[in-house]
Amino acid sequence: MSEKKKLAFGKSNYILMIAGILTLIIGFIIMTLDKEQYGFGFLGLTLGPIIVFIGFMIEIFAILKKPKQ
């Protein structure tokens, strides 16, 4: 039991994951703010999905980034 348990990711990976989750949440909130019918305005069709896509890219980068040793 003297061996220290290691986490799957490093601290920077978890920080990036949290940033990605927050970016995803902000993107979905932006999509709901669209005042056009059925969300067919700029916020619902352009800006919101771009922010969500960036959030997913941050998540993928956070998973694939190697932690410092």
Side-chain angles (χ1 to χ4, degrees), residues 48-60:
I50 289 172
I51 301 292
V52 170
F53 180 75
I54 291 170
F56 279 118
M57 291 298 107
I58 292 171
E59 288 294 323
I60 291 170

Side-chain angles (χ1 to χ4, degrees), residues 8-10 12-18 20-21 55-67:
F9 299 109
S12 61
N13 295 80
Y14 287 115
I15 291 172
L16 283 171
M17 285 182 194
I18 292 171
I21 290 171
F56 279 118
M57 291 298 107
I58 292 171
E59 288 294 323
I60 291 170
F61 178 74
I63 291 170
L64 295 178
K65 183 178 178 242
K66 289 187 178 183

Side-chain angles (χ1 to χ4, degrees), residues 37-53:
Q37 188 176 11
Y38 303 115
F40 287 141
F42 174 74
L43 294 177
L45 285 178
T46 307
L47 185 62
I50 289 172
I51 301 292
V52 170
F53 180 75

